[in-house]
Amino acid sequence: MERTLKGIPAAPGLAIGQAVALKRTADAGRPAVTGEVALDPASEWVRFGQALDQARESVARLEERTRREVGEAEAAVFGAHLLMLEDPELLERVKAGIEAGSPAERAVAAAGEELAGIMAGLDDPYLQERALDIRDISRRLIAALRGEQEEEVGGPAPFILLADDLLPSQTARLDRHRVLGLATAGGGPTSHTAVLARSMGIPAVVGLGAGTLDGIADGVRLILDGAEGLLILDPSEETLTRYEELLAQREVERAALSALRHAPAQTADGHRIELAANIAGLQDLAAVLEAGAEGVGLFRTEFLFMEREEPPSEEEQYAIYREVAERLAPRPVIIRTLDAGGDKPIAYLGIEREENPFLGWRGIRYSLDQVELLRSQLRAALRAAAHGSIRVMFPMITTLAEVRRARALLIECEGELRAEGIPLGPVEVGIMVEVPAAALCADQLAPEVDFFSIGSNDLTQYTLAVDRGNRVVSHLYDPLHPAVLRLIHQVVEAAHRHGKWAGLCGEAGSHPDALPILVGLGLDELSVAPPSVLRVKAQLRGLTGAECRRQASDHLKTGT
């Protein structure tokens, strides 16, 4: 018999499918720990420190995956988790528990639950929902202590996932091809789980109420309406037909968007923009080709260095770069050299924890100190250029000397390969403009490079002195702030004065409010996440150059 549950709309969209319940979700959030007593608190503290390092690496990988597959803003969820792992109050509580004789697992569970309880008891709904984030990192620490792998979420076929609650890390790891929608008994619309679901395009209903999902057997047919906050169990034929018609209508709309795949990325009055995609590896190529992107505007090669115990060899990198170049030829592929450090710690690279990692040993600063790693990347890229259109881009540039040293190393690598009789191809050379110093000195840097690519995320963060992952100040993070736009405009003008082109590969490129302004500033290229390519193209084709220039001018003057 049909039954309707009413919850809180969390992510819009419709889903019709079979139920799969996530078992023991609450226990995953509040991990039970056996009561054995630690004999040596000092050893337990060392063990906890090792687990903490593992948890940091695990969260950093998840942050990078979320940045790559979902978006920069959503990845900030796990940037916040990294900060929680450094929280002195959490560490002090864990240490006190260990010194009192508890094993590290029990100390972590107790400390995490105490802090989560404090957050859950606050009046602010936003802060209440951060309790789940604390339980998430507590669970991750205990899994690291136990040597456990992260569990798979869900079943083998497309399904609607039911859970008491869902941790942010579980949500980020959902396979969007298998999960049609999700419904939770707890949670709210501002939870990180809800934010991630919206960004991943997974319809979601939260806050259905304690116990409401108990007893729903796997395989029961469900309809989930994320916009209305409805979960319909055992729908009648009439209800099912109505929702199937709505789904069919949505498919028609998606097909219209898909029809733009081979259409040019240009405004209604013919102003052309090169529209590329950001990738982190071979797994992203299918989405790039499906979206009809005009190339890869940012290959985040640091992802190739993660989830392993040593750097990839030149041969490994060459094989990957070559495959990307061949599959996308003749479209260009911009390979950004290793951008480790900052929010991307990789343990084996020897980058120690820093007081201010975003201001520290990262990007080109690290690579120029570890030239063999950079040399292997450049040689691999030059070799791949024999099979397609390869461009190389250096991150975190601040000075002219850095550009010249990096280019000199590239020339050395070209000479080595020729001397060894190894085929290579020509590469264009560009830099990331992420630091205000580079933007302000763009006229001096432009003669040294073939192109600029503006990293709007870091440029905004550095210009406004705002950590976008810090909930207390994140409302000040504004890529459309006049100061940021003036820097972007200055970079574009400097590039054009020297006959070079300028692109942007930050999150702002896919933001509907930012797109007309960025086009109006004169950017030649935009690179966005593959799922955003068609939507950006559709919006671009509805704009006019004159309107874009007007909006850009207004924002440069007033920020409105």
Side-chain angles (χ1 to χ4, degrees):
M1 180 180 295
E2 179 175 308
R3 183 160 61 101
T4 300
L5 303 177
K6 183 73 172 77
I8 301 169
L14 297 175
I16 300 174
Q18 295 184 339
V20 168
L22 180 67
K23 309 301 182 186
R24 300 174 61 82
T25 308
D27 288 344
R30 303 174 179 83
V33 180
T34 56
E36 72 270 16
V37 177
L39 298 177
D40 182 4
S43 297
E44 286 300 292
W45 182 247
V46 169
R47 200 162 67 87
F48 170 72
Q50 294 169 340
L52 191 60
D53 287 340
Q54 291 177 30
R56 287 191 194 102
E57 286 191 49
S58 176
V59 173
R61 288 195 297 269
L62 187 56
E63 182 185 32
E64 181 59 32
R65 170 178 168 173
T66 306
R67 179 182 291 109
R68 170 171 55 84
E69 297 182 359
V70 186
E72 188 73 32
E74 293 73 23
V77 169
F78 300 106
H81 281 204
L82 285 170
L83 292 175
M84 289 180 188
L85 288 169
E86 306 290 345
D87 182 10
E89 188 171 0
L90 172 65
L91 300 181
E92 286 168 11
R93 286 174 183 262
V94 172
K95 189 171 185 179
I98 288 174
E99 290 177 346
S102 292
E105 292 91 339
R106 177 165 289 280
V108 169
E113 199 53 41
E114 286 170 8
L115 291 173
I118 292 171
M119 298 298 285
L122 297 175
D123 293 333
D124 187 334
Y126 177 87
L127 295 178
Q128 289 173 359
E129 289 171 0
R130 300 293 75 77
L132 199 62
D133 294 287
I134 294 172
R135 289 179 175 130
D136 200 343
I137 64 168
S138 174
R139 165 186 162 276
R140 187 177 294 279
L141 284 166
I142 291 172
L145 284 162
R146 291 173 169 169
E148 296 173 349
Q149 298 296 316
E150 293 184 275
E151 73 282 0
E152 282 297 315
V153 177
F159 56 88
I160 294 175
L161 184 66
L162 308 181
D164 293 333
D165 218 331
L166 205 59
L167 301 172
S169 61
Q170 292 172 319
T171 308
R173 289 170 41 243
L174 294 176
D175 184 342
R176 282 173 282 183
H177 299 293
R178 293 165 54 205
V179 181
L180 301 173
L182 61 91
T184 62
T190 62
S191 70
H192 283 157
T193 295
V195 170
L196 286 165
R198 284 194 291 272
S199 299
M200 295 168 72
I202 300 176
V205 177
V206 300
L208 287 162
T212 54
L213 302 179
D214 295 349
I216 300 178
D218 286 358
V220 169
R221 177 173 283 178
L222 302 173
I223 296 174
L224 186 145
D225 186 336
E228 298 297 326
L230 301 178
L231 183 67
I232 304 172
L233 286 66
D234 292 316
S236 67
E237 287 302 318
E238 181 182 352
T239 300
L240 188 61
T241 299
R242 186 170 78 254
Y243 276 95
E244 285 175 339
E245 289 173 352
L246 284 172
L247 268 178
Q249 183 179 334
R250 302 282 173 86
E251 286 300 321
V252 170
E253 293 168 357
R254 274 194 286 269
L257 200 59
S258 183
L260 294 177
R261 179 182 173 191
H262 298 297
Q266 63 185 31
T267 60
D269 52 356
H271 179 69
R272 196 75 169 78
I273 292 284
E274 185 174 316
L275 186 55
N278 305 329
I279 69 168
L282 297 174
Q283 68 277 10
D284 300 323
L285 288 185
V288 172
L289 294 167
E290 179 64 26
E294 296 177 75
V296 168
L298 173 62
F299 188 160
R300 294 187 175 103
T301 61
E302 58 273 10
F303 199 76
L304 306 180
F305 288 69
M306 302 175 83
E307 299 188 55
R308 52 189 298 147
E309 296 180 357
E310 60 182 9
S313 67
E314 176 185 325
E315 289 302 321
E316 288 179 275
Q317 293 184 72
Y318 164 62
I320 292 169
Y321 302 158
R322 174 177 175 169
E323 183 169 348
V324 174
E326 288 179 334
R327 288 177 63 181
L328 286 176
R331 288 164 287 195
V333 175
I334 300 179
I335 295 175
R336 182 175 70 184
T337 60
L338 179 63
D339 188 19
D343 58 344
K344 309 181 195 75
I346 301 174
Y348 64 80
L349 292 181
I351 303 176
E352 297 182 358
R353 219 173 306 154
E354 298 175 299
E355 188 74 23
N356 292 301
F358 283 100
L359 305 180
W361 201 32
R362 60 172 295 200
I364 196 65
R365 300 170 181 178
Y366 176 83
S367 294
L368 290 176
D369 286 343
Q370 306 291 324
V371 291
E372 290 310 311
L373 277 179
L374 181 55
R375 187 186 297 276
S376 69
Q377 280 206 289
L378 296 178
R379 285 174 57 97
L382 286 163
R383 293 168 62 188
H387 305 277
S389 177
I390 294 288
R391 299 167 179 170
V392 170
M393 178 165 68
F394 300 110
M396 196 66 183
I397 291 292
T398 307
T399 69
L400 186 59
E402 290 169 337
V403 179
R404 288 175 173 170
R405 284 183 62 197
R407 291 208 68 152
L409 188 62
L410 180 68
I411 292 169
E412 280 183 33
C413 292
E414 288 177 341
E416 290 171 359
L417 291 171
R418 288 194 176 94
E420 295 166 19
I422 298 175
L424 71 157
V427 298
E428 290 186 19
V429 177
I431 61 169
M432 290 283 289
V433 179
E434 305 159 276
V435 181
L440 292 167
C441 294
D443 263 317
Q444 286 72 46
L445 296 170
E448 306 285 332
V449 299
D450 298 306
F451 65 91
F452 290 138
S453 185
I454 299 165
S456 64
N457 304 323
D458 272 338
L459 184 62
T460 301
Q461 180 166 252
Y462 290 133
T463 302
L464 303 182
V466 172
D467 178 358
R468 62 184 178 271
N470 184 332
R471 63 173 179 79
V472 179
V473 297
S474 59
H475 65 284
L476 299 172
Y477 179 85
D478 179 12
L480 298 183
H481 189 288
V484 179
L485 295 180
R486 287 173 187 174
L487 289 176
I488 293 173
H489 192 223
Q490 185 169 330
V491 172
V492 172
E493 289 195 319
H496 291 172
R497 274 195 296 272
H498 292 273
K500 310 298 170 68
W501 63 269
L504 183 142
C505 59
E507 191 73 15
S510 59
H511 195 290
D513 292 338
L515 181 62
I517 297 165
L518 296 175
V519 172
L521 291 175
L523 284 162
D524 305 289
E525 181 246 27
L526 291 172
S527 188
V528 300
S532 299
V533 169
L534 287 174
R535 179 178 55 77
V536 170
K537 184 184 288 187
Q539 183 185 357
L540 180 66
R541 291 173 64 83
L543 300 172
T544 66
E547 173 61 18
C548 290
R549 288 188 292 274
R550 185 195 64 76
Q551 287 197 40
S553 177
D554 289 346
H555 270 75
L556 283 171
K557 293 174 185 174
T558 65
T560 58

